[in-house]
Amino acid sequence: MTESKGLTTATFLTLAMLTCLGPQAHAAQCGSSSAGFSAWKQEFASEARAKGISASTVSALMATNYAQATINADRGQRSFSLSLDQFLAKRGGASIVARGRSMKQSQGALFASIQQRYGVPPGPLIAIWGMETGFGSQRGNQNMLSSIATLAYDCRRSAYFTEHLYAALQLIDRGTLSAATRGSMHGEVGQTQFMPKNILAYGSGNLDNAANALNSTANFLKAHGWRAGAGYQPGEPNFAAIQAWNAAGVYQKAIAVMGRQIDGGE
């Protein structure tokens, strides 16, 4: 390397580092308690406006409250540390399978249509539906925007939830969601509990409608590598798509087990 080339490379690397640091330097400051939430909202609102979020949606963001219940839930996800048998017992796995087998029969046309379109059989879809909301009976009653704004502000996983917050704001701008939308503790909404960024990418229609939610879930799985006819147990090709749906290993295994049982396996 000649000296001139070395200086050019060094200058380029310096500029690249400054470019990478720029957005972080101006990003809203995260926090670990409610104390800084109002100031964070002011900073984040300016960033959101600069990204094209409408004034009315920014106003909705400014009206959000610090969701202490969401923080408590985020810190206390103890069930994911259980063994598979313990997790299935706690989440009612046997009931999900029993009801799931019945639904597979009663809604056969819907599941046949989904399998033909996306290659995903009924079992894992029904297992996810049952696990997430008890087949739509427990969709949460938290304000979606407050939950996600709180998690975007919280330093624990700020970057991850900031992406979902921007997606939520876009969805509100589009009219897909509203500032009053209710969901679960982490901002999940609908029959199978979609996060906002995934609604943008894979959602179709009102996700409080079971058929829309199940089609959207199958769309998500297909987009994450689901192959029609391949297995979905641990070590089989389609298990990776289940892993993409939820990061907890015990959850992934539970969906695979219940899905197999619903689909007729043991």
Side-chain angles (χ1 to χ4, degrees):
M1 179 186 295
T2 65
E3 182 178 357
S4 61
K5 286 184 179 179
L7 289 172
T8 301
T9 302
T11 302
F12 173 80
L13 290 172
T14 300
L15 290 172
M17 289 176 66
L18 290 172
T19 300
C20 292
L21 291 172
Q24 295 178 356
H26 295 93
Q29 182 64 47
C30 69
S32 56
S33 73
S34 61
F37 188 56
S38 293
W40 173 87
K41 286 194 293 184
Q42 292 283 355
E43 294 178 51
F44 195 92
S46 297
E47 297 169 18
R49 281 190 287 266
K51 290 180 180 291
I53 301 300
S54 71
S56 62
T57 299
V58 170
S59 294
L61 171 66
M62 293 302 298
T64 57
N65 298 312
Y66 183 80
Q68 186 63 54
T70 287
I71 294 298
N72 294 344
D74 191 56
R75 301 290 190 272
Q77 300 183 70
R78 297 185 184 90
S79 66
F80 290 147
S81 64
L82 298 174
S83 70
L84 177 58
D85 287 344
Q86 291 170 330
F87 183 79
L88 286 168
K90 184 176 180 63
R91 294 294 189 96
S95 296
I96 291 173
V97 170
R99 190 171 174 195
R101 286 173 171 168
S102 175
M103 286 190 160
K104 180 182 174 182
Q105 297 299 319
S106 65
Q107 301 187 38
L110 170 62
F111 289 111
S113 171
I114 292 173
Q115 186 164 4
Q116 183 176 23
R117 183 173 183 182
Y118 299 104
V120 183
L125 288 177
I126 294 173
I128 288 171
W129 187 19
M131 178 70 75
E132 293 288 353
T133 66
F135 304 103
S137 66
Q138 301 168 26
R139 282 172 274 171
N141 195 34
Q142 304 298 310
N143 179 269
M144 176 275 301
L145 190 55
S146 287
S147 293
I148 295 178
T150 298
L151 291 166
Y153 159 70
D154 187 64
C155 289
R156 184 166 177 254
R157 290 188 285 170
S158 180
Y160 174 79
F161 282 103
T162 293
E163 292 185 354
H164 284 293
L165 179 55
Y166 273 120
L169 298 175
Q170 292 176 57
L171 289 164
I172 292 171
D173 265 353
R174 295 179 184 184
T176 303
L177 298 178
S178 78
T181 295
R182 314 299 287 186
S184 293
M185 288 296 182
H186 290 76
E188 312 96 324
V189 299
Q191 294 270 344
T192 57
Q193 300 287 273
F194 265 77
M195 292 294 291
K197 188 176 176 182
N198 290 334
I199 296 175
L200 280 178
Y202 313 108
S204 177
N206 180 356
L207 297 181
D208 282 326
N209 174 278
N212 290 341
L214 291 165
N215 271 280
S216 298
T217 305
N219 187 29
F220 175 98
L221 294 173
K222 182 178 180 181
H224 287 81
W226 193 282
R227 288 164 35 196
Y232 55 82
Q233 298 306 301
E236 295 180 330
N238 288 330
F239 188 67
I242 295 174
Q243 290 177 304
W245 179 263
N246 188 296
V250 69
Y251 178 105
Q252 298 159 4
K253 293 173 185 175
I255 295 302
V257 168
M258 290 188 297
R260 181 181 65 204
Q261 292 172 347
I262 292 168
D263 277 338
E266 291 302 327

